[in-house]
Amino acid sequence: MTVKRMDNVGIVVEDIDAAIAFFTELGLILEGRAPIEGDWADGVTGLHGMRVEIAMMRTPDGHSRLELSRFLAPPVVADHRNAPVNALGYLRVMFTVEDIDDTLVRLVKRGAKLVGEVVQYENMYRLCYIRGPEGILIGLAEQLVQKTS
């Protein structure tokens, strides 16, 4: 059997409200927020006494989701928010946007910082990395030409 789909990417944050506002500005849609706790949550995560608040954000096309989590218990044990691009493990999430320049203007107002510069890859894409809320590394891509089948 093969994978049917990728359900979501999870990111742990301290300020879930700021993260929701940032990703809403990017164009994601808040599907819902909920507290998560109990034996089933402890069992799936391996964290005894886990209490977390989650917010599920959906891309406009409905195909991808981002799960934002704010842990209330147990305390967060590691911080990878400012890891460089070549760090091992989870690194970034990338979004295709309609207009990279407009997107950057809007996200900078929400605290985003450009990591390097906006670059062009051949005649296909304009790309950049930004640091979003709490230093989360986010890639932005603007497709310049439509793919032909």
Side-chain angles (χ1 to χ4, degrees):
M1 176 171 269
T2 61
V3 169
K4 293 171 75 173
R5 69 176 181 263
M6 187 179 91
D7 218 28
N8 67 66
V9 171
I11 300 177
V12 176
V13 297
E14 283 183 315
D15 187 341
I16 198 165
D17 293 320
I20 290 169
F22 182 89
F23 286 107
T24 298
E25 185 68 45
L26 182 58
L28 276 69
I29 299 150
L30 177 64
E31 285 189 326
R33 289 174 79 156
I36 305 292
E37 61 184 304
D39 292 340
W40 72 271
D42 291 1
V44 74
T45 62
L47 298 173
H48 180 69
M50 186 195 84
R51 291 185 308 115
V52 66
E53 177 185 10
I54 67 160
M56 193 63 74
M57 309 285 301
R58 174 179 47 81
T59 56
D61 66 2
H63 295 297
S64 302
R65 286 174 177 70
L66 185 67
E67 180 182 304
L68 302 171
S69 301
R70 181 175 69 97
F71 275 80
L72 306 170
V76 174
V77 297
D79 189 340
H80 305 285
R81 291 176 289 191
N82 293 306
V85 173
N86 62 343
L88 295 174
Y90 161 79
L91 182 57
R92 60 140 175 91
V93 59
M94 181 167 271
F95 296 97
T96 300
V97 298
E98 290 180 11
D99 180 335
I100 204 165
D101 296 317
D102 175 66
T103 302
L104 284 170
V105 167
R106 290 184 295 106
L107 295 180
V108 163
K109 291 177 184 174
R110 295 256 180 210
K113 294 190 178 4
L114 193 60
V115 171
E117 59 187 85
V118 178
V119 299
Q120 186 163 325
Y121 173 70
E122 299 182 352
N123 290 324
M124 297 171 54
Y125 288 98
R126 292 182 70 221
L127 307 157
C128 70
Y129 284 163
I130 60 172
R131 291 279 178 186
E134 302 181 37
I136 298 168
L137 189 60
I138 299 165
L140 301 175
E142 175 184 348
Q143 189 172 353
L144 300 174
V145 294
Q146 297 297 323
K147 295 179 183 178
T148 56
S149 335

